[in-house]
Amino acid sequence: MEFWIARNKDGSLTLFENEPYYNDIDGFWYDVFEIPVADDLQSALFSEVTLGNSPMKIELKLVN
């Protein structure tokens, strides 16, 4: 499964099913449906994801 992850201006992380767009007014990322997969990810996760390189496509794989 492919998702998009983005870091908001406040440092929080959000995971999306669709490629999100950035809202300069509030500093948050949104997708066209405005329903994130997860909007409460720990901000310490994925330190390589920054506001400057967001959004990034990620792949989620289940491994036995």
Side-chain angles (χ1 to χ4, degrees), residues 8-10 21-30:
N8 298 303
K9 188 174 182 179
D10 70 356
Y21 64 90
Y22 186 69
N23 182 329
D24 285 322
I25 295 170
D26 65 8
F28 285 86
W29 291 89
Y30 298 94

Side-chain angles (χ1 to χ4, degrees), residues 1-5 15-16 46 49 56-60:
M1 297 181 81
E2 291 185 342
F3 294 97
W4 292 87
I5 192 166
L15 188 68
F16 300 94
F46 304 105
V49 179
M56 297 180 81
K57 189 182 275 190
I58 62 170
E59 184 176 9
L60 178 64

Side-chain angles (χ1 to χ4, degrees), residues 13-62:
L13 283 170
T14 308
L15 188 68
F16 300 94
E17 190 171 345
N18 302 293
E19 185 173 6
Y21 64 90
Y22 186 69
N23 182 329
D24 285 322
I25 295 170
D26 65 8
F28 285 86
W29 291 89
Y30 298 94
D31 76 358
V32 293
F33 300 108
E34 303 216 5
I35 303 171
V37 173
D39 63 354
D40 58 353
L41 295 173
Q42 291 182 354
S43 59
L45 295 173
F46 304 105
S47 60
E48 64 275 14
V49 179
T50 66
L51 179 61
N53 67 12
S54 290
M56 297 180 81
K57 189 182 275 190
I58 62 170
E59 184 176 9
L60 178 64
K61 241 190 231 188
L62 294 176

